[in-house]
Amino acid sequence: MGLITGTIIKLKRLSFIRKICLAIIALNMVLALGANIIANDKPLYCNCDGHSLWPAWEDYLSWFYSDHQQHLTDYTHCTRVIMPLIPFHSTSIDPASSGYSAPLKKSSTVGATHWLGTDALGRDVLAGLIHGARFVWILGLLSTIIAAIPGIGLGMLIGYWQNKRLKWSVGQILILLIWWSLALYEAMVLSWHFDGVSFGLMLLSLLIVWSLTSKIFFRSFQIIGPKIFVPVDHVVMRGIDVFESFPKMFLLMGLMVVMTRPSVFMLSVMVAIIRWTLFVQVARAETLKERVANYVISAENINLPWWKILIKHIWPNIKSSLLVTAIFSFSAAILVEASLSFIGLGLRIEVVTWGSLLNAGRQYMPGWWLSLFPGLAIFSLLLSLNWLFIDRSKLAGQYEKS
């Protein structure tokens, strides 16, 4: 109860504009989670031959069981049919409304209204916006998490170690370079044979095995060659400078052409590839600022391990800045997907996203509803995310380099 009361008090203290922003974000999350029961051409409930069925709800099972199939596709003979609020799916094709139907046109086949019109195939734009919100959140969260975990970890390490804290032998440096070069090659091979969650699990297994085996070999080669200071900060930051010199959008477009219509997971990985450097830079800068603080110096004087200093002392003081960075990265991921889909390099053609709707509006200029409503959805969500955290970013001294 104390947590709920505290949350209510904090919400009451928000300004009117921030309450609106929070409501827009909450609405998008509700639409993303409840898309199957808000906009679907399958009934929420129906009674067929004395059996109660929940077809729209069963769509959620496909998230966990890819081979799940429903037994019925035609529900016209069923009784007590309860349809969703919008009786169209994002992939549903209405032949009577094909060829770019304007908003508020009623479908002659279903008897429902296309409130925001249809595209060239007769797919409902409002249903596309609702189901597109799911891909927005999946892509934004996945790409941010994938970019943040290695980026924050590497940034904190190089910020704490810098150039004269890490001492390795020449043999250790060589075996580390060779071992992880092989790991990168294996990851590229896996990307050609697996996709989606399967690729993620295989990559995670590869990283765990490679980390354990490299640790064994790493210790075995510590007596080969003299020990030297490893300038990890200099090496990583110069590598990031080289990476940042490439135009990110062109790099991403090249990856998209090679992958030829990737899945949501692979697109999230590609977006994370161009966003991870921001987390490294911010985490490094904040760690450099905290490592000269008295509490860190005191922890070092009592010989506290470096990983405990990073996790227990430095991390709690820099996580606010990194949270703001994550919000900016989430917003950037949405814009990247919309930009790629706008030029026809996004997800698979049958997947309806906000960016693909903008692309349909580009192909048919008189269809103003295909550009206006997805554009407003992207604008309102990004503005709400940034406006809601604007004071926090000023407090943390955070800035975004894009």
Side-chain angles (χ1 to χ4, degrees), residues 116-137:
L116 301 184
T118 63
D119 61 3
L121 299 177
R123 296 179 297 186
D124 188 74
V125 174
L126 181 55
L129 286 176
I130 294 173
H131 285 267
R134 173 182 300 167
F135 293 104
V136 163
W137 284 95

Side-chain angles (χ1 to χ4, degrees), residues 43-48 75-83:
L44 293 173
Y45 169 81
C46 60
N47 189 293
C48 298
Y75 302 94
T76 55
H77 65 283
C78 298
T79 58
R80 300 179 184 176
V81 178
I82 302 177
M83 294 298 295

